[in-house]
Amino acid sequence: MAAQTVLILDFGGQYKELIARRVRECGVYSIVKPGDISLDKIREIDPIGIILTGGPNSVYKKESPHCDKAIFDMGIPVLGICYGMQLLSWSLGGEVTPCPSSEYGRTKMQVSTDSPLFAGLDPAQIGLMSHTDQVTKLPAGFRSIAHTVSCENAAIENAAKKLYGFQFHPEVESTPNGTAMIRSFLYSVCGAKGDYDLKNLEQQLISDVKKQVGDAHVLLALSGGVDSSVCAALLSKALPGQLHCIFVDHGLMRKDEGNEVEAAFKNRDLDFIRVNAQERFLKALAGVTDPEQKRKIIGTEFVRVFEDESKRLPNVKFLAQGTIYPDVIESGGNKAATIKSHHNVAGLPKDMKFEGVVEPLRGLFKDEVRALGRQLGLPRRFVERQPFPGPGLAVRVMGEITPEKLEILRNADAIFREEIAKRRIKADQYFAVLTDTRSVGVVGDFRTYNYVIALRAVKTSDFMTCEYAPISHKVLGTVSSRIVNEVKGAGRVVYDITGKPPATIEWC
């Protein structure tokens, strides 16, 4: 997809995906790998630069994640961020100690504008700090290039060896000139050419799919969401006459959504097949309360349904999915932290009957998928549709899934989405959650003990981070009143005002 790559080494930082996105926004391809990657793997990737992420640990503790120290002698430019800077310093003989006073939030900094990372910027900058340790003694050959009132080494460099460190987080919006700093590292230090371009990506993806599949047929799991719709458009262009799109209605869709998906795709130029498997999925999920187990059960059942359907189709050897890069990263693997297992990644059974899995979007972020969809000519309503998880309402019903709970959630969710759309409130994703909590209420003269409904609406550009949407109390009051009066079984409504991080957008 690109001649140049920047390697992001993950040490458990909550912003690793955002670092990778920022690099791509600057026109350079990036990938995320575990922090303990081998030197041979790094040489195979042949990156023009390496970025070490933040993380929650203290580098001086034995159990903390480390990288091979030889990375710093490979001649590849390195930028350490937060924990990554502390790891860089500690590995090269510097000292890292607990802070007398921890730094959190937007912090004023003074930077050295003679450093290539701060060239063209004002000396006074703002950086998002989030650390309880700090570098108190620099390794030989390093100098401080930024400081705050309480952090003498807010940024460091060894220009001769092209080794740099930021104690703050340049990848977040709270660091106003953070992207410019990352861009300077990429172009002024790493010598980036800016050769990552989605315009060229389409042909590369089509070529890769043709090479993988040959003349075999492919069965695509089509949900009607952004990712699977873009995947369908790409595969139909790459494999004319070889693609079969199966929409599995697992009984976990939003209100009327199954019929809407069928209406949208039934008359398009592809082989659309709807499979009604509601009873099958609900039976498999009976009694299950753990969200990770739900995802894996759903992933397994999806594959089994596709295997059954493939027997009725000619020469089907591959299963295709709209898996995207955040699905892969959040599902963990090796020693990377598992945020939540995505059913289409960690939930796939090892004994699949397919020869392989086709995932052309696996390396793309959500905004890149949307851009590719527009490039492929998909209608706006598909490209801009808000995400809906593959496991559907299974991850929005807390606790055991029952037909009764699904019906309560469908109706409450439909009311919330209707009111948001009607008022044209600016939110990138919004939905209802059926909690596993009941509360006492009064209807007429009778005591009730019904479910608590949680509402979630967020604003985000990348779905890697988000802020809650500040919906007015008047609108929330209207939604609450409608839900408790119109939805049997719903007794109380609350609004989730947590950002990502520390929360995820979905509840589980």
Side-chain angles (χ1 to χ4, degrees):
M1 289 189 285
Q4 294 182 321
T5 298
V6 166
L7 175 62
I8 316 292
L9 296 189
D10 174 24
F11 296 97
Q14 60 186 348
Y15 298 131
K16 56 182 175 287
E17 300 98 334
L18 195 51
I19 296 171
R21 272 201 68 247
R22 292 289 181 255
V23 172
R24 293 190 188 188
E25 287 174 0
C26 292
V28 183
Y29 184 63
S30 62
I31 56 174
V32 179
K33 295 293 182 181
D36 61 354
I37 187 174
S38 69
L39 296 181
D40 286 341
K41 285 288 185 182
I42 293 176
R43 293 189 187 98
E44 185 179 321
I45 295 169
D46 191 25
I48 63 168
I50 296 174
I51 298 179
L52 314 179
T53 76
N57 301 284
S58 292
V59 70
Y60 44 79
K61 292 184 177 179
K62 185 177 181 180
E63 65 273 15
S64 296
H66 295 154
C67 62
D68 192 320
K69 294 181 182 180
I71 286 175
F72 307 118
D73 293 320
M74 297 180 75
I76 301 171
V78 177
L79 171 63
I81 296 176
C82 198
Y83 178 87
M85 169 176 149
Q86 296 167 13
L87 177 60
L88 168 66
S89 302
W90 182 83
S91 299
L92 296 176
E95 291 183 3
V96 178
T97 59
C99 298
S101 177
S102 300
E103 279 188 312
Y104 291 102
R106 290 165 59 92
T107 307
K108 293 181 179 179
M109 304 184 298
Q110 287 293 315
V111 305
S112 299
T113 56
D114 61 341
S115 167
L117 300 194
F118 301 129
L121 300 178
D122 291 333
Q125 292 293 320
I126 298 291
L128 180 77
M129 291 287 188
S130 179
H131 65 107
T132 56
D133 292 330
Q134 63 182 8
V135 176
T136 49
K137 179 183 176 182
L138 295 178
F142 280 79
R143 67 163 181 146
S144 175
I145 54 173
H147 66 274
T148 70
V149 170
S150 59
C151 182
E152 182 180 355
N153 300 307
I156 62 174
E157 76 171 11
N158 182 329
K161 291 190 174 182
K162 297 185 177 181
L163 303 177
Y164 296 83
F166 290 154
Q167 184 57 70
F168 59 94
H169 288 274
E171 69 274 19
V172 300
E173 292 182 356
S174 296
T175 302
N177 290 309
T179 300
M181 298 170 191
I182 292 173
R183 181 182 295 275
S184 292
F185 173 70
L186 298 174
Y187 287 88
S188 298
V189 178
C190 301
K193 299 175 183 177
D195 59 0
Y196 180 61
D197 187 347
L198 282 177
K199 292 180 180 178
N200 300 323
L201 178 62
E202 178 186 331
Q203 290 306 315
Q204 181 64 54
L205 294 176
I206 288 174
S207 175
D208 291 344
V209 167
K210 288 181 175 179
K211 183 177 180 181
Q212 179 185 4
V213 172
D215 60 358
H217 282 228
V218 176
L219 190 154
L220 170 66
L222 179 63
S223 69
V226 175
D227 304 332
S228 65
S229 295
V230 173
C231 188
L234 182 72
L235 293 180
S236 63
K237 190 171 183 179
L239 306 169
Q242 298 170 246
L243 178 65
H244 308 275
C245 296
I246 293 190
F247 165 57
V248 178
D249 187 344
H250 47 20
L252 304 167
M253 307 294 288
R254 289 172 289 198
K255 190 171 184 177
D256 300 326
E257 192 161 31
N259 293 335
E260 290 173 2
V261 171
E262 182 172 4
F265 284 94
K266 188 70 175 178
N267 297 318
R268 293 179 70 85
D269 188 21
L270 47 79
D271 182 20
F272 178 89
I273 302 168
R274 177 174 179 171
V275 179
N276 293 311
Q278 295 92 332
E279 291 185 9
R280 175 175 185 162
F281 277 82
L282 289 177
K283 182 179 179 181
L285 291 165
V288 178
T289 60
D290 178 68
E292 284 290 285
Q293 190 178 356
K294 288 180 186 177
R295 290 176 181 274
K296 291 178 180 180
I297 288 172
I298 290 169
T300 297
E301 286 303 310
F302 263 125
V303 171
R304 297 308 178 218
V305 171
F306 297 140
E307 287 174 344
D308 292 344
E309 292 301 314
S310 70
K311 296 173 184 176
R312 304 184 181 95
L313 299 169
N315 195 28
V316 171
K317 296 181 180 179
F318 292 91
L319 171 66
Q321 299 187 128
T323 306
I324 63 175
Y325 204 26
D327 299 342
V328 178
I329 296 173
E330 289 188 341
S331 294
N334 297 325
K335 296 182 180 180
T338 300
I339 309 300
K340 56 185 177 183
S341 294
H342 288 258
H343 77 287
N344 54 338
V345 181
L348 295 179
K350 295 180 180 179
D351 60 342
M352 287 194 308
K353 300 300 189 292
F354 296 99
E355 289 186 10
V357 179
V358 178
E359 297 173 316
L361 311 180
R362 188 181 177 90
L364 303 184
F365 288 100
K366 178 69 74 174
D367 57 327
E368 295 174 313
V369 173
R370 294 187 193 278
L372 180 61
R374 288 190 290 269
Q375 191 170 301
L376 288 164
L378 277 178
R380 182 183 179 87
R381 67 179 182 277
F382 288 124
V383 176
E384 300 300 328
R385 189 179 185 191
Q386 60 170 297
F388 184 62
L393 299 183
V395 293
R396 293 180 181 172
V397 170
M398 313 297 286
E400 183 180 4
I401 298 170
T402 67
E404 175 199 11
K405 292 169 77 173
L406 287 169
E407 189 64 17
I408 293 171
L409 179 56
R410 281 195 188 96
N411 290 326
D413 180 74
I415 290 172
F416 184 42
R417 290 189 293 118
E418 177 188 327
E419 292 293 336
I420 293 290
K422 184 167 62 178
R423 289 170 170 77
R424 297 183 179 180
I425 292 172
K426 293 182 179 180
D428 297 295
Q429 188 172 5
Y430 43 93
F431 55 88
V433 174
L434 181 72
T435 74
D436 205 22
T437 300
R438 295 190 183 210
S439 68
V440 175
V442 178
V443 175
D445 295 324
F446 295 96
R447 174 187 185 274
T448 61
Y449 192 55
N450 291 326
Y451 286 102
V452 176
I453 301 292
L455 305 179
R456 181 79 157 141
V458 301
K459 298 174 69 176
T460 177
S461 61
D462 52 27
F463 295 89
M464 292 293 94
T465 61
C466 78
E467 297 178 353
Y468 76 90
I471 299 175
S472 73
H473 285 83
K474 182 179 180 180
V475 174
L476 291 174
T478 299
V479 174
S480 175
S481 178
R482 283 195 61 190
I483 288 175
V484 296
N485 282 287
E486 297 177 28
V487 181
K488 184 179 179 181
R492 193 179 295 262
V493 177
V494 298
Y495 187 52
D496 181 355
I497 60 170
T498 318
K500 176 183 180 180
T504 55
I505 294 178
E506 298 287 346
W507 272 42
C508 60

